[in-house]
Each structure stands twice: as structure tokens, then as C-alpha cells.
Amino acid sequence: MISLLQRVSRAEVVVDGEQIGAIAVGLMVLVCAERGDTEKQADALLSKLLAYRVFADDAGKMNRSVTDVGGGLLLVPQFTLAADTRSGTRPSFTPAAAPEDGRRLFDHFVAQARLRHGEVATGRFGADMQVSLTNQGPVTFWLQVKPAVME
């Protein structure tokens, strides 16, 4: 599974003109399941994400996690993170999980996040979403837990 996390002072997702998810200070996280991913990869990625130290401590060093600072999580499904862009001028989405697997793993990821973390908002799987955010820093990191089976 792949995530692209951004440290934000605010972020929101709008679908059909309606705000469906929003956070203040925290992490806006694009989440993607790859072929071969299971709940094991989702759980490992979530553990890493919740512990990843991207917020400043009193000395100004990135030593605090979203859990440490009590920040929000805005989790947004984003299958294009798995795109293969190595050749040509059109991305291939073959590495991404099938839509039904992607939805199942995103839903699992969200459910586990809600069990383990305070504020969790989400985008909507398969929807045309407008995502806006104010990235603090900017601070952006790519986290990946490789699929169990690489085809």
C-alpha cells in the first residue's frame, strides 16, 4: 500500500458541492492499494503513518507524530499513486488494486484508523473529489509497504 502524506494546517474534501470531510492541523493522506495488498499491508502502513514524526518538537525538530500532537487525519482514496510512469506519456494503472479490492482495503484502513486515532475524516472512494489543503512547510512524504505478492 502507498500513502502520500502532507502536514497541513487545514484540509477538506468536497463532493458535488458538499464538504464531506475536513480537518484542521494534522495530516492529509492520499491512500492507494496495490495489487497483492492485504489487510496486513494496510495495518502496517497505518502503524507507520500514525508513528511517523513530521511535527516539530519544542526545539523545532520533526520529532512528533500526528498521534503525539493530537492532529486530525483526512484519508483520501487515490488509486493513481500506483501509476506506472516509466514509459510513454500515458500512465498505466496496472499496479493498482482492482476497484473492489481497493475499496475493501481503503475501508479497512479507515476503520482501523478510527479505532486507533481520534479525529479521522475521509474522502469518498470512486467519487470525483475536490481536495484543498494548506500544506505546512511544505512537508510531504511518500510511505509504502510493498505488496505481499508482486505480479
Side-chain angles (χ1 to χ4, degrees):
M1 285 197 64
I2 302 168
S3 69
L4 183 73
L5 64 93
Q6 297 182 66
R7 185 179 71 186
V8 300
S9 56
R10 61 149 213 86
E12 72 172 351
V13 176
V14 173
V15 174
D16 295 329
E18 176 189 350
Q19 182 187 72
I20 63 165
I23 61 168
V25 172
L27 296 175
M28 196 288 295
V29 185
L30 301 175
V31 180
C32 175
E34 295 178 277
R35 287 196 302 154
D37 280 339
T38 66
E39 286 78 2
K40 180 179 177 181
Q41 283 76 35
D43 293 344
L45 183 62
L46 179 62
S47 292
K48 187 170 188 173
L49 172 71
L50 292 175
Y52 215 65
R53 297 179 299 167
V54 299
F55 292 90
D57 63 14
D58 294 336
K61 302 227 185 264
M62 283 196 264
N63 277 326
R64 292 186 177 146
S65 69
V66 68
T67 303
D68 295 336
V69 301
L73 286 177
L74 177 56
L75 305 175
V76 179
Q78 180 70 41
F79 81 94
T80 63
L81 288 177
D84 181 349
T85 59
R86 292 177 289 181
S87 66
T89 57
R90 183 176 182 278
S92 167
F93 299 108
T94 302
E100 60 275 5
D101 292 331
R103 180 185 302 274
R104 177 178 52 78
L105 290 169
F106 179 74
D107 290 347
H108 174 82
F109 194 87
V110 169
Q112 292 304 305
R114 287 185 169 143
L115 287 174
R116 298 179 55 187
H117 191 72
E119 180 186 0
V120 178
T122 71
R124 183 175 299 148
F125 194 94
D128 180 17
M129 297 175 279
Q130 285 68 53
V131 180
S132 59
L133 59 103
T134 301
N135 188 320
Q136 286 183 329
V139 172
T140 302
F141 291 97
W142 170 282
L143 300 179
Q144 185 173 23
V145 174
K146 292 285 189 182
V149 178
M150 296 294 292
E151 296 182 288

